[in-house]
Amino acid sequence: MKRRTGRAGAAAAAVLTAAAALVLAVLVRESPEEPSGPSEIRVLHYNLCGAAAVCPWNSGGSGPGTSVERVVKEASSFGPDLVTLNEVCATQYEALLEQLEEAGLRMHGTYASSQDNVPNCGPTGEFGTAVLSRAPIGPEEPDYLRFTRTGDETYTNGGRTVSVRRGLLCAPTLVAGEPLLACTAHTYARAPEQLREIRDRLAEDAVPAGTPVLLAGDLNLQPNEPALGYLYAHPAGDGDRPTGRFLEGDETDRKWFSQGSTGGVVCTGSEPERCRNGEPTAADRKIDYVFADTRHFSGGHSDARVFEESDHAMLTAVFTRRPKG
């Protein structure tokens, strides 16, 4: 079980290149995990609302009736290869790993804190994001790539104001015995350039050669907003020129093409194969996503389920790996 807070700069970039490549090679040799299937990758993503006032039943806790218990229950049923989490206290993350193991679903994890003055999160006040994998995660300290565009975001509690250190948390791991980079982010709506930083940090020349990438998170932006073009590989409409390399779990679900979330793109003409839309994840908006890179994945599907423990829907996504060669 690993936990760390973020560190920016050249050391962070190195984690996604040489160090990650070396550790992935070790994991390939040493991992005892059994693959879930030859071509299928299963992802569960959840914004726990772990300490927010709008979710008082959580209040940093991890017992019955909390989002932690919900993740354990749903993960035990869904059997994900990867779990990504936003708005989770460090204490909740640690409790979750223990409860998953008790439930027979042992996972490895890494955690990063975006702030340390959230009273509901216990003595340290640490509150942030996490990535869990059924296979080992390496290197010893997967890094948190702090965003340089912050939108001057601050958080005040108990008379203390801190700068919020949002960023991209990535974990080199394995799925079905093959290397994979699993990432999550919880971006700030007033700093859409954070999505550009994600695009740049997950570009093909910035990760170990040939390594597939999965990205999930609460991006606080909707599918029709220009900044999503940094991630999506297909346009929102005529004249749009996206620069991303990702497909999204819900983009091929035709039942949402013409009746999707507020802020989704309506796709009704010429029978498109995909649409930047999908099931709402926060009230009537889609702001939570599960992405897979188009070079290594040919398609997928996603479902959003609403539970009373959080103000965000839980996403479960299944992606198909492209054949090698």
Side-chain angles (χ1 to χ4, degrees):
M1 184 166 63
K2 307 189 186 92
R3 182 169 68 87
R4 61 174 273 105
T5 52
R7 186 176 61 202
V15 170
L16 294 184
T17 52
L22 288 172
V23 172
L24 286 171
V26 172
L27 292 178
V28 169
R29 294 195 303 267
E30 297 184 355
S31 173
E33 305 294 330
E34 291 295 327
S36 63
S39 62
E40 183 179 276
I41 293 179
R42 302 168 73 83
V43 184
L44 185 153
H45 173 75
Y46 202 29
N47 179 321
L48 270 67
C49 191
V54 294
C55 302
W57 38 84
N58 283 321
S59 298
S62 56
T66 66
S67 288
V68 171
E69 181 189 53
R70 175 62 63 184
V71 172
V72 174
K73 180 179 179 181
E74 299 305 315
S76 297
S77 175
F78 179 62
D81 299 291
L82 304 167
V83 175
T84 57
L85 306 171
N86 300 148
E87 292 195 24
V88 55
C89 298
T91 51
Q92 291 172 320
Y93 159 76
E94 292 167 348
L96 175 60
L97 286 176
E98 293 174 0
Q99 292 183 30
L100 285 168
E101 185 163 6
E102 290 170 359
L105 188 62
R106 182 172 184 265
M107 302 194 83
H108 307 261
T110 184
Y111 178 89
S113 174
S114 62
Q115 57 212 78
D116 61 0
N117 68 334
V118 180
N120 281 340
C121 289
T124 67
E126 289 184 89
F127 179 77
T129 60
V131 177
L132 281 62
S133 173
R134 297 187 72 172
I137 287 175
E140 282 302 312
E141 296 186 345
D143 224 306
Y144 186 52
L145 308 180
R146 192 180 301 174
F147 296 132
T148 61
R149 282 87 161 180
T150 66
D152 297 322
E153 183 185 11
T154 61
Y155 179 80
T156 301
N157 199 292
R160 178 171 171 244
T161 299
V162 300
S163 296
V164 179
R165 306 179 300 273
R166 296 182 190 252
L168 177 69
L169 176 65
C170 288
T173 187
L174 301 171
V175 172
E178 297 289 336
L180 180 136
L181 190 66
C183 304
T184 191
H186 183 195
T187 58
Y188 186 38
R190 296 183 181 180
E193 283 292 306
Q194 290 176 352
L195 274 71
R196 182 173 184 170
E197 293 191 49
I198 293 174
R199 180 202 65 182
D200 293 346
R201 289 171 176 175
L202 297 182
E204 291 185 25
D205 60 354
V207 299
T211 299
V213 177
L214 282 169
L215 166 70
D218 172 6
L219 303 182
N220 277 312
L221 294 169
Q222 299 178 84
N224 66 339
E225 299 189 57
L228 263 296
Y230 292 128
L231 301 182
Y232 276 104
H234 70 278
D238 293 340
D240 184 33
R241 298 183 181 279
T243 59
R245 68 180 186 112
F246 293 96
L247 56 92
E248 204 274 327
D250 219 17
E251 69 181 35
T252 58
D253 190 346
R254 292 186 175 276
K255 69 182 179 183
W256 299 104
F257 280 19
S258 61
Q259 58 176 356
S261 59
T262 300
V265 178
V266 176
C267 303
T268 57
S270 67
E271 298 186 0
E273 294 183 359
R274 57 192 70 244
C275 184
R276 275 166 54 172
N277 206 319
E279 198 168 357
T281 65
D284 62 349
R285 301 178 302 149
K286 178 177 175 60
I287 59 175
D288 301 85
Y289 302 81
V290 184
F291 288 100
D293 78 82
T294 55
R295 184 171 182 177
H296 297 92
F297 299 91
S298 59
H301 60 84
S302 176
D303 291 305
R305 298 181 64 191
V306 176
F307 300 106
E308 62 184 0
E309 294 86 4
S310 176
D311 58 350
H312 287 251
M314 176 183 289
L315 296 181
T316 53
V318 179
F319 292 99
T320 302
R321 288 284 294 267
R322 292 184 182 276
K324 289 185 176 182

